[in-house]
Amino acid sequence: MTTPALLPLSGRRIPPLSLGTSSIPHHRATLRLSEKFILLLILSAFITLCFGAFFFLPDSSKHKRFDLGLEDVLIPHIDSEKGDKNAGGFLIHGLGHDEHRHREEEEQLRNKIRADHERALEEAKEKLKKSRDEIRAEIQTEKSKLLEELKKKENPPVPLAPVPNLTELKNGDPGDPDIREKREKIKEMMKHAWDNYRQYGWGHNELKPIARKGHSTNIFGNSQMGATIVDALDTLYIMGLLDEFRDGQEWVANNLDFGVNAEVSVFEVNIRFIGGLLAAYYLSGQPVFKDKAVMLADKLLPAFNTPTGIPWAMVNLKSGVGRNWGWASAGSSILAEFGTLHMEFVHLTYLTGNPVYYNKVMHIRRLLQKMDRPNGLYPNYLNPRTGRWGQHHTSVGGLGDSFYEYLLKAWLVSDKTDTEARSIYDNAIEAIEKHLIRKSNGGLTFIGEWKNGHLERKMGHLTCFAGGMLALGADGSPGDKAGHYLQLGAEIAHTCHESYDRTVLKLGPEAFKFDGGAEAIAVRQNEKYYILRPEVIETYWYMWRFTHDPKYRNWGWEAAQAIDKYCRVSGGFSGLKDVYSSAPAYDDVQQSFFLAETLKYLYLLFSSDDLLPFDNWVFNTEAHPLPVIRMANSTLPGNHVAR
């Protein structure tokens, strides 16, 4: 919903009247007063009203009810010294104190008016310090709240949902001593990463393990929101590092503050913070995590105040002002960002009974389904003001990836009842396979990127998650395609393993080409880095779960050994600037997703399948497990039980 333009006020300059003329010439200058001036006028009127009340309030003593009980009126007067009753002496109790009491009440009233007046002046000063965008955002937020309140009156929220009846979290012991030893090594790596963050970066978003100090990026604004703490909570819990988990819980309870003046990424905060808090709540049952998740979600809601309902990429947690990245195709929102909210927002409605979260993400889905899609593909950019696609660039990697993932997972998390999501996913995958998936001259299956009618034969590390997604979505595919998509997932896994195996360090580059003789190899220097990313290991884990082919555990162990050998430093783990160099330079950043995803997927890869089984859990795109919502007990809007 857009902020309505304030009506212009007209100022007139009226010349002296000329008697006897048929018309009065005049000049009208139309001025559009700022919202600040209008706000000042309103506050001035309020202050005048306060002064009027102060000076002209009638004498309350003249209107006071003299309503005394008999026991207050006729009380024998007792001599204070003798202790006996004066003959015939009675006093009217209370009359001697009325005038004094009334004066006290009037003084209290004057003090209250004075305090209100001073508070109004302070509020006016604060308002006048704010920018026009901040004032507009506040106005829009208040309007949205009012609309939501009206909707609630018309449609009362459904009752709170029961917490899912989750089975006890299994230990996941793999049984095999060799695999158990590898799993313990992954746990030790997690402890090394956490302990150093605890010592050198506590409360900061991330860690600089070589400089041994806190680190943050623009996705978290200028705030210290403890991203690593929130992102790592469920990994700590799953690994049985409960003392560390309790340290994190204590920090969340006492220090996690969303009232900060910080501009954050809606997408990143959703998947890392809301996803991480919800997962910690479901695993541990501690209500502080749920409460914090709901508080944060409400801080993100102003981002949806756009003409189309497609959210801004960034929002200020304090003011509610939203905007998009300057580089994103003429102010567009990004498909992978506004398309990766569904799982978390559905769970928020499930837990609170408030349909606002569910309605926001379903509105996005309905809007996208009304739009034309070139070749059945979804472009990466959509303008939230006009509702039109931006640059026609389609990718299953960065900018597009998790949109497709969340279509599939919306179906899974609904206990496979959200058949609309499944149908949209199937149609999207069919278009992707037709236009983006190719085989290289060397026989490697890859997923390219579509740019303005041309296929770019390049695949990013981020795209490697798709092998796991295809395997996860194989069961339930239309026709007899389950085996086909499982095989396609295996081919993508093989290609991504090749991108690791063809480097000096046995760690994959950020992007790799399939042109001429260069296959699964990075060509540009700025694509040769590895920043502790999880997507290849994620696909190994999914493929292991569905096939139990031992090569996936072998490939995962190769990656774990390479990370421990080349990325480990005394202060934690660092990314590398060139995986083709035998003496690589460090980027000196321990990413929060390394603890949330990379190490969690490795630990699960070397665990038995009964640790977080797919029948009961669905992982968000930051590897935070959320339980399947059994619709028979759900309070989601539209469910027959809720109706």
Side-chain angles (χ1 to χ4, degrees):
M1 183 180 294
T2 55
T3 304
L6 295 174
L7 293 176
L9 300 177
S10 297
R12 299 185 185 181
R13 216 183 276 159
I14 304 177
L17 296 178
S18 287
L19 298 177
T21 58
S22 59
S23 63
I24 301 174
H26 64 277
H27 173 70
R28 179 178 297 168
T30 302
L31 299 174
R32 192 175 189 276
L33 298 183
S34 70
E35 289 88 341
K36 287 184 180 180
F37 188 64
I38 290 175
L39 187 59
L40 186 58
L41 286 177
I42 294 169
L43 290 170
S44 298
F46 174 72
I47 293 164
T48 302
L49 183 63
C50 290
F51 271 114
F54 181 83
F55 287 111
F56 299 109
L57 194 72
D59 185 355
S60 60
S61 63
K62 295 178 182 177
H63 303 279
K64 207 77 166 169
R65 284 187 61 208
F66 193 72
D67 189 14
L68 301 173
L70 186 61
E71 69 276 12
D72 290 327
V73 178
L74 298 176
I75 300 178
H77 178 57
I78 302 175
D79 187 282
S80 60
E81 294 181 3
K82 298 179 181 179
D84 60 335
K85 297 178 183 177
N86 292 328
F90 288 86
L91 68 85
I92 307 298
H93 184 68
L95 289 181
H97 300 281
D98 276 355
E99 187 176 350
H100 177 68
R101 186 170 71 248
H102 295 159
R103 277 200 298 269
E104 284 183 348
E105 290 175 353
E106 287 176 358
E107 184 61 28
Q108 289 173 0
L109 184 59
R110 287 192 185 95
N111 290 338
K112 182 179 183 303
I113 292 171
R114 225 177 262 117
D116 289 344
H117 172 219
E118 290 172 1
R119 187 168 60 253
L121 284 175
E122 286 302 315
E123 289 177 359
K125 289 177 185 176
E126 289 300 316
K127 291 288 183 185
L128 292 172
K129 289 178 185 176
K130 295 185 177 181
S131 68
R132 177 177 297 218
D133 285 343
E134 288 176 318
I135 292 173
R136 281 179 171 166
E138 285 186 4
I139 292 170
Q140 189 60 45
T141 300
E142 290 303 317
K143 287 175 66 178
S144 298
K145 285 181 181 177
L146 181 60
L147 288 173
E148 289 299 331
E149 288 300 321
L150 291 173
K151 286 179 184 177
K152 285 179 185 178
K153 289 179 181 178
E154 295 173 3
N155 302 300
V158 290
L160 294 180
V163 175
N165 184 21
L166 302 174
T167 56
E168 183 180 351
L169 191 66
K170 297 290 195 297
N171 174 269
D173 188 329
D176 185 315
D178 178 58
I179 300 301
R180 187 184 297 131
E181 184 179 347
K182 290 173 179 175
R183 190 172 85 140
E184 284 301 308
K185 175 59 181 176
I186 304 304
K187 184 175 178 178
E188 183 276 329
M189 291 168 68
M190 177 68 182
K191 190 154 174 38
H192 179 69
W194 174 265
D195 287 348
N196 279 283
Y197 169 78
R198 181 72 175 85
Q199 183 172 356
Y200 302 116
W202 192 243
H204 290 267
N205 290 312
E206 291 170 322
L207 171 69
K208 294 178 78 68
I210 297 172
R212 297 190 178 187
K213 63 181 184 179
H215 170 74
S216 192
T217 64
N218 63 343
I219 61 175
F220 305 117
N222 57 1
S223 63
Q224 294 183 21
M225 294 173 62
T228 293
I229 298 173
V230 179
D231 233 359
L233 283 168
D234 54 1
T235 306
L236 294 169
Y237 195 90
I238 291 163
M239 291 184 178
L241 296 170
L242 298 185
D243 288 340
E244 291 81 355
F245 176 84
R246 280 188 280 270
D247 284 345
Q249 178 181 336
E250 183 179 356
W251 188 92
V252 167
N254 298 328
N255 301 100
L256 186 55
D257 177 21
F258 304 126
V260 293
N261 183 21
E263 190 178 51
V264 301
S265 163
V266 174
F267 161 73
E268 295 288 359
V269 166
N270 176 63
I271 65 171
R272 300 191 198 207
F273 283 82
I274 296 180
L277 290 166
L278 290 176
Y281 168 66
Y282 282 122
L283 289 168
S284 72
Q286 298 299 315
V288 63
F289 298 125
K290 179 184 72 171
D291 295 342
K292 292 284 186 177
V294 174
M295 288 168 58
L296 178 54
D298 289 343
K299 289 288 187 178
L300 298 186
L301 289 179
F304 292 83
N305 294 336
T306 66
T308 59
I310 297 294
W312 299 114
M314 309 282 286
V315 69
N316 186 295
L317 292 177
K318 187 171 185 179
S319 69
V321 175
R323 69 175 178 91
N324 276 341
W325 302 106
W327 49 263
S329 186
S332 291
S333 297
I334 297 168
L335 183 68
E337 295 193 339
F338 66 78
T340 310
L341 303 168
H342 191 98
M343 279 183 67
E344 297 81 3
F345 274 47
V346 163
H347 266 278
L348 287 165
T349 286
Y350 175 75
L351 287 173
T352 65
N354 186 349
V356 64
Y357 314 107
Y358 176 86
N359 290 339
K360 294 293 186 188
V361 292
M362 289 305 294
H363 173 79
I364 293 172
R365 182 191 292 181
R366 286 191 293 269
L367 180 68
L368 290 178
Q369 291 316 296
K370 291 177 183 176
M371 299 182 65
D372 291 331
R373 293 178 290 282
N375 296 317
L377 299 170
Y378 290 84
N380 291 337
Y381 301 107
L382 179 62
N383 192 303
R385 292 188 178 90
T386 65
R388 296 191 182 95
W389 296 118
Q391 176 188 357
H392 282 194
H393 172 204
T394 296
S395 168
V396 184
L399 307 179
D401 47 11
S402 48
F403 165 73
Y404 305 99
E405 175 188 358
Y406 268 40
L407 290 174
L408 173 62
K409 290 180 176 179
W411 175 65
L412 292 170
V413 83
S414 73
D415 199 20
K416 301 182 180 179
T417 61
D418 187 355
T419 54
E420 179 186 54
R422 175 76 215 206
S423 176
I424 298 170
Y425 168 80
D426 289 333
N427 292 335
I429 293 302
E430 184 179 349
I432 287 167
E433 187 172 10
K434 181 177 180 181
H435 297 286
L436 304 184
I437 296 180
R438 296 288 185 270
K439 257 196 183 357
S440 70
N441 293 334
L444 295 177
T445 301
F446 68 94
I447 307 176
E449 297 188 8
W450 190 265
K451 290 187 176 180
N452 297 316
H454 170 71
L455 182 68
E456 186 175 12
R457 298 171 67 86
K458 180 176 80 171
M459 186 170 173
H461 192 291
L462 288 166
T463 318
C464 285
F465 92 98
M469 178 183 72
L470 291 166
L472 183 63
D475 184 24
S477 298
D480 298 323
K481 288 191 171 182
H484 166 71
Y485 284 119
L486 188 61
Q487 176 59 31
L488 190 56
E491 291 175 15
I492 297 297
H494 173 68
T495 298
C496 292
H497 175 257
E498 286 298 305
S499 77
Y500 273 52
D501 200 46
R502 297 181 186 191
T503 70
V504 172
L505 305 183
K506 305 304 177 185
L507 291 169
E510 182 69 5
F512 39 95
K513 294 264 191 176
F514 295 89
D515 281 336
E519 292 197 356
I521 294 174
V523 176
R524 297 179 181 176
Q525 187 60 39
N526 64 356
E527 295 175 341
K528 294 181 178 181
Y529 60 87
Y530 173 70
I531 57 171
L532 307 171
R533 286 203 187 276
E535 291 78 20
V536 173
I537 295 166
E538 175 184 356
T539 278
Y540 293 165
W541 174 57
Y542 277 107
M543 293 307 304
W544 162 257
R545 278 275 179 108
F546 287 111
T547 68
H548 280 195
D549 187 329
K551 73 180 179 184
Y552 296 114
R553 277 182 165 170
N554 294 336
W555 290 352
W557 184 239
E558 288 173 5
Q561 287 180 302
I563 291 170
D564 197 53
K565 181 176 182 179
Y566 297 111
C567 300
R568 185 176 186 133
V569 295
S570 60
F573 289 87
S574 170
L576 305 170
K577 293 183 178 179
D578 187 349
V579 293
Y580 298 94
S581 169
S582 57
Y586 297 111
D587 69 7
D588 195 19
V589 178
Q590 180 176 281
Q591 305 278 350
S592 81
F593 57 67
F594 177 64
L595 292 82
E597 300 184 73
T598 311
L599 292 175
K600 184 186 287 128
Y601 285 133
L602 281 168
Y603 188 80
L604 291 170
L605 179 62
F606 299 114
S607 298
S608 59
D609 293 356
D610 61 357
L611 178 56
L612 300 170
F614 290 155
D615 287 345
N616 298 329
W617 298 90
V618 183
F619 288 71
N620 88 337
T621 197
E622 189 79 357
H624 295 307
L626 300 177
V628 171
I629 298 174
R630 308 297 177 189
M631 297 303 285
N633 298 316
S634 168
T635 59
L636 291 179
N639 181 43
H640 69 279
V641 174
R643 283 202 303 269

